[in-house]
Amino acid sequence: MTAAAPAALAIQVDGLTKSFGELAVLRGVDLSVRAGSICALLGSNGAGKTTLVRILATLLRADSGSAMVHGWDVQAGAADVRRAISLTGQFAAVDEVLTGRENLVLVARLRHLKQPGVIADQLLARFALTDAGGRRAGTYSGGMRRRLDIAMSLIGDPPVVFLDEPTTGLDPQARAEVWQIVSELASGGTTVLLTTQYLEEAERLATQIAILHEGRIIQQGTLAELTQLLPAATVEYVEKRPSLEDIFLALVGNTGKEDR
C-alpha cells in the first residue's frame, strides 16, 4: 500500500460517528485541516474532542464515516498513520523515574532511530532543558514536564501532531512557552490539530478554527471568517487596561530559563 500524493489537506474527516453504548458522542463529524496549519478544535466538556482525536490517532475505531491523515485511511492504513503522527494528551506522559534525557533516548530507540543520544541532546537544547537533562523528570515543574512531553512527541519529525488540551493546568508563563513551541512547529511545516477550551489560545495560535458541539462540527474557518458570522461591531472608545496575565508576564518576565 502506498500513501496518496501529498495534498493540500493533512486531515480529512467525512461523516464520522462514534457511540459508547446508548451515548452518541460523534454524530457525523466533517472536518478539513490544511497541511502546515494549526487547527484549533473548540468545544465544551463532553463535546467529543478527545474521542475525535483518538480516532484520528488510530486509538479508537469509528462506527461509521471515514478519516484520512497524511494521505492514509485511519482504518485501512492504521500503521502508516501511526508513523506519520504524534499525540500529546492532556497529561504529560513522561516517565518520572527516568531523567529528561533518558526519556528522550528511550523514545528514539523505540522508533529505531540512529544516534538516539544526539537526538536527545538536540531536543533538550531546543526546549531549553539542557541543564535539567540529567535530573529525574519527577523533579520537573509542570511547564518543564509539558515541554519534555512535547519534545518526546516530536522525535522522528512527524508531519502531523495532535495536541489534546496541552496547556491544561499550566501557569500563564508555562502556557506562553507551549504557545511558542506550537507556533514554531507550524512555521516548520508541521500540521497541528489542537484541542482546547481556552478561547484565547485558539485566537493566538490557530490559522483555522473548528467548533465541535453535541457531536458535530457546527462551524469551521479562519478567525476572520467566523467573526463575520456576527453583526458588525459598533465603535466605542474604551480605555484598555492590561489583563492580569499581561501584568504577571511583565513582572515575572519570559526569560526562557528553566524552572527550578
Side-chain angles (χ1 to χ4, degrees), residues 31-201:
L31 176 66
S32 300
V33 179
R34 296 187 301 274
S37 68
I38 301 174
C39 178
L41 183 62
L42 303 181
S44 57
N45 285 332
K49 301 189 301 297
T50 297
T51 297
L52 176 57
V53 168
R54 288 175 62 84
I55 289 173
L56 294 176
T58 75
L59 299 176
L60 278 178
R61 191 177 184 90
D63 296 333
S64 64
S66 64
M68 302 285 290
V69 176
H70 197 58
W72 299 101
D73 184 279
V74 298
Q75 293 187 7
D80 298 293
V81 170
R82 293 187 193 111
R83 282 190 285 269
I85 68 169
S86 74
L87 169 63
T88 298
Q90 298 177 26
F91 305 101
V94 303
D95 189 321
E96 297 187 353
V97 175
L98 300 179
T99 68
R101 188 177 189 276
E102 288 169 343
N103 270 282
L104 293 166
V105 168
L106 175 62
V107 175
R109 286 176 173 166
L110 290 173
R111 287 185 175 267
H112 306 290
L113 299 178
K114 297 179 180 179
Q115 298 182 305
V118 173
I119 293 171
D121 291 336
Q122 290 173 342
L123 285 168
L124 288 172
R126 178 180 176 185
F127 287 86
L129 291 169
T130 298
D131 291 344
R135 287 167 41 195
R136 288 194 309 108
T139 68
Y140 287 11
S141 69
M144 293 172 69
R145 199 172 307 188
R146 176 56 76 191
R147 297 206 306 270
L148 177 61
D149 191 30
I150 296 176
M152 291 164 59
S153 72
L154 297 183
I155 291 176
D157 297 319
V160 180
V161 174
F162 299 118
L163 300 177
D164 190 13
E165 301 193 15
T167 61
T168 297
L170 297 184
D171 62 51
Q173 188 170 2
R175 191 147 45 106
E177 291 171 355
V178 172
W179 289 351
Q180 180 64 32
I181 292 168
V182 174
S183 296
E184 290 174 358
L185 286 176
S187 296
T190 302
T191 303
V192 179
L193 178 62
L194 168 76
T195 75
T196 183
Q197 296 184 60
Y198 300 131
L199 301 185
E200 181 188 5
E201 190 162 88

